[in-house]
Amino acid sequence: MTTPRVSTLTSLDDWLDLQARTAIPSAMWIDGAWDQASGRALPLISPRDGSVIANVTSADAADVDRAVQSARRTFERGSWSLLEPRQRGEVLLRWADLLDEHRDELALLLALEMGKPVTVAWNVELRTTINTIRWYGELVDKLYDESPRGRNGALALVTREPLGVVGAITPWNFPMTLAMFKIPAALAAGNSVVVKPATQTPLSLLRAAELSALAGLPAGVLQVVTGSGSVVGSALALHDDVATLTFTGSTEVGKKLLTYAGESNAKPVSLELGGKSPNIVFPDAPDLDKAAATAAWAISFNSGQMCTAGSRLVVHEEIRDDFVARVVKHLEAHVIGDPLDPATTMGPLAYAVHRDDVVDEIRKGIADGATLVMGSDEKRDDGLYVSPAVFTDVDPGSRLAQHEIFGPVLSVLTFSTEEEAIAIANNSDYGLGSAIWTADLSRAHRLSREIDAGLVWVNCYEEGDSSVPFGGHKLSGHGADRSVHGLEKYTSLKTTWINIEGAS
Ligand code: NAP
Ligand code: MG
């Protein structure tokens, strides 16, 4: 199958027409079928225009238990866990193909549920999602177990075994990509999965789960349960039959999950959490305009709702004014508007309370004495849009420099020496992304060793690939997603000793 390079839908009318023809999922996906639970439903409000786009099931602990039991039964039956790895891979590859075939519809759901521009949903979020599934589908029969040569007379086999039921809890900012950093890896390893998407963004994942059945995934291997984190998420995290939890979201909730694990079956928990990533620019950056365009992108892509957002621009004092002027110019070029319009580059924030929080942070930044050189602390009257905001004269210890805002708000800090740049970069509870712009290879290498972060980009930002781990240090979490390492948390090591001397 050849992948079309761009969507054939090229105008707002095309997308509105697709919306009129698209069935919006609302039930949960349990045991290979739509499941209405006990009939409770909550309206899902689109940040696009405030309209109710679906009434989505709001589950309770009994519903979660039903989904977990279905996943457990399926795992124990072995209809997935005992398949040949190659057969599991073929199902994942078919699933990726089906998602690709339904890319317009999924991009539409993403735009409606969280306000992501359709162009970005189509070209970035779904491309990454589909690639990730394909990558694990292709990997699964190319892995080897180990047989260490420790002792004569006995053979040791070290194998990786699936765990059983994997509980996944995911956020709203990349509803498909971040769930699919987890689900295909867990499935490739032979597990069953129960996933709880964010309250705001269940639609694209529900549709993807339905398509997994068409791809041949046996009923009960993948369940999507919907509802609030405090009820559904905690029930999943506290469940004794969930063998491991994999989470992407805030540090605050991540810490709660560790507690829930301790209160239940001591399940391992892997955490991809928040960030306040430093983007460090030296005067000798190979291309300052590219660095500025990238800095603008790093704080405004996905309306700044990105765990790896380059929210702290750490720029050498000699070039600050010129560099900030360039960043502002690039930010001004955004086309802010309707996420269903293919011309839009920046959509609304994902929901009203979050928009209010982001605007409030801009207000606090002004009150703290930083200088607002772009943007406003006034709410716009055309919806949940927030124009990019840029602050200079930010004190490294202040809220603007420390608190994750999760919106298009850039804090500019300055340095004069390399040591100072490192100190500012590491002056954070977080350690997710980081970037260094310099033509000096020794300096780039030195800094990349000294910055305490899971990801360091040199003369680029947000490079990533299915083959490369993605994860943070400190309060940004632990346990990487993606790559071969992404499989580790979904398996346990088993050692088998075979006495070969005494064998008859
Ligand atoms: P969040 O509030 O932590 O929510 C994430 C998920 O946890 C949602 O599904 C949420 O459900 C659920 N949840 C909430 N309370 C829970 C509880 N007590 N028990 C179990 N589950 C619970 O995060 P968010 O607001 O969706 O996303 C923003 C955060 O995610 C930011 O901090 C961002 O940096 C981080 N993030 C990190 C990465 C990464 O890869 N490191 C990527 C993207 C985002 P509800 O939706 O019902 O609340
Ligand atoms: Mg939240």
Side-chain angles (χ1 to χ4, degrees):
M1 199 192 96
T2 51
T3 307
R5 283 186 54 248
V6 288
S7 172
T8 52
L9 307 185
T10 54
S11 69
L12 175 59
D13 282 347
D14 289 346
W15 286 95
L16 290 172
D17 183 52
L18 177 65
Q19 185 186 2
R21 291 183 279 116
T22 299
I24 309 283
S26 59
M28 298 193 286
W29 185 257
I30 296 178
D31 215 12
W34 293 119
D35 184 302
Q36 299 282 4
S38 42
R40 287 175 304 277
L42 285 178
L44 191 73
I45 296 168
S46 174
R48 177 178 171 252
D49 56 4
S51 63
V52 174
I53 44 172
N55 287 296
V56 176
T57 304
S58 179
D60 61 20
D63 299 321
V64 173
D65 182 56
R66 203 151 36 82
V68 171
Q69 295 313 336
S70 158
R72 198 184 110 167
R73 276 195 308 276
T74 312
F75 181 76
E76 287 170 356
R77 262 201 311 269
S79 51
W80 178 251
S81 54
L82 297 180
L83 280 187
E84 297 287 339
R86 188 188 178 87
Q87 292 174 304
R88 290 204 296 268
E90 283 166 0
V91 172
L92 290 175
L93 292 171
R94 273 201 297 276
W95 192 22
D97 286 348
L98 280 167
L99 296 179
D100 209 357
E101 283 166 28
H102 291 82
R103 207 151 156 175
D104 286 339
E105 181 191 342
L106 291 163
L108 172 78
L109 293 176
L110 287 164
L112 292 176
E113 66 189 347
M114 68 83 57
K116 191 181 300 272
V118 274
T119 318
V120 175
W122 209 98
N123 292 321
V124 183
E125 171 130 25
L126 287 165
R127 177 172 49 80
T128 312
T129 298
I130 292 161
N131 285 348
T132 311
I133 300 172
R134 284 206 176 114
W135 195 84
Y136 281 110
E138 285 163 359
L139 175 73
V140 62
D141 64 340
K142 297 168 189 67
L143 299 166
Y144 295 83
D145 287 324
E146 300 164 23
S147 179
R149 295 184 183 187
R151 295 254 307 275
N152 293 335
L155 178 69
L157 293 178
V158 181
T159 52
R160 285 206 164 264
E161 309 285 331
L163 294 168
V165 181
V166 171
I169 301 178
T170 54
W172 45 261
N173 58 333
F174 290 89
M176 289 286 283
T177 304
L178 295 174
M180 295 302 185
F181 279 2
K182 303 180 183 303
I183 295 169
L187 294 179
N191 299 285
S192 297
V193 176
V194 180
V195 56
K196 192 222 103 54
T199 300
Q200 293 86 355
T201 56
L203 304 180
S204 51
L205 202 61
L206 285 167
R207 180 66 174 122
E210 185 184 20
L211 291 171
S212 74
L214 286 182
L217 195 70
V221 179
L222 173 63
Q223 342 271 346
V224 183
V225 290
T226 53
S228 77
S230 54
V231 175
V232 177
S234 63
L236 192 58
L238 283 161
H239 205 295
D240 284 328
D241 288 328
V242 170
T244 190
L245 267 185
T246 174
F247 175 72
T248 299
S250 64
T251 298
E252 184 192 350
V253 174
K255 285 181 172 179
K256 282 189 192 167
L257 299 186
L258 294 170
T259 308
Y260 297 156
E263 287 170 2
S264 53
N265 57 345
K267 56 180 78 64
V269 180
S270 63
L271 302 174
E272 299 282 350
L273 307 175
K276 190 79 182 175
S277 301
N279 185 15
I280 307 170
V281 185
F282 286 87
D284 70 345
D287 179 345
L288 275 174
D289 202 53
K290 180 179 170 213
T294 309
W297 180 90
I299 192 58
S300 59
F301 181 67
N302 213 37
S303 298
Q305 303 165 126
M306 193 162 66
C307 52
T308 47
S311 50
R312 290 187 294 150
L313 175 60
V314 185
V315 59
H316 194 280
E317 60 188 8
E318 269 173 22
I319 57 166
R320 184 196 81 162
D321 291 351
D322 172 61
F323 193 79
V324 170
R326 292 183 199 224
V327 172
V328 166
K329 191 181 85 196
H330 287 292
L331 287 172
E332 283 169 350
H334 265 300
V335 181
I336 299 176
D338 187 345
L340 289 190
D341 186 338
T344 294
T345 62
M346 199 171 156
L349 295 203
Y351 55 104
V353 172
H354 181 52
R355 185 277 310 269
D356 294 350
D357 286 347
V358 170
V359 171
D360 201 43
E361 292 297 336
I362 299 174
R363 191 169 309 130
K364 284 179 185 155
I366 297 169
D368 277 353
T371 308
L372 186 69
V373 296
M374 176 183 188
S376 162
D377 63 343
E378 297 287 321
K379 282 185 203 166
R380 290 169 54 133
D381 51 19
D382 57 350
L384 299 184
Y385 303 99
V386 173
S387 309
V390 178
F391 280 100
T392 55
D393 307 314
V394 174
D395 184 293
S398 69
R399 187 173 172 87
L400 268 181
Q402 297 292 331
H403 177 74
E404 182 190 42
I405 297 176
F406 220 58
V409 182
L410 181 64
S411 300
V412 182
L413 300 105
T414 52
F415 68 93
S416 56
T417 64
E418 196 177 296
E419 293 68 33
E420 212 183 332
I422 295 165
I424 291 173
N426 285 339
N427 178 16
S428 172
D429 291 336
Y430 295 113
L432 188 54
S434 61
I436 306 156
W437 296 83
T438 180
D440 181 337
L441 193 59
S442 309
R443 175 194 277 153
H445 193 62
R446 222 169 25 243
L447 262 76
S448 70
R449 305 284 301 258
E450 290 191 36
I451 292 176
D452 194 359
L455 303 155
V456 184
W457 293 291
V458 177
N459 298 328
C460 58
Y461 205 93
E462 200 63 48
E463 279 296 329
D465 190 76
S466 298
S467 60
V468 177
F470 174 95
H473 293 177
K474 302 198 276 184
L475 285 188
S476 293
H478 56 256
D481 280 338
R482 315 190 87 179
S483 81
V484 180
H485 297 288
L487 287 170
E488 288 162 10
K489 56 182 171 290
Y490 304 120
T491 57
S492 58
L493 285 175
K494 178 186 276 183
T495 300
T496 305
W497 281 103
I498 302 172
N499 179 353
I500 48 176
E501 262 182 355
S504 53

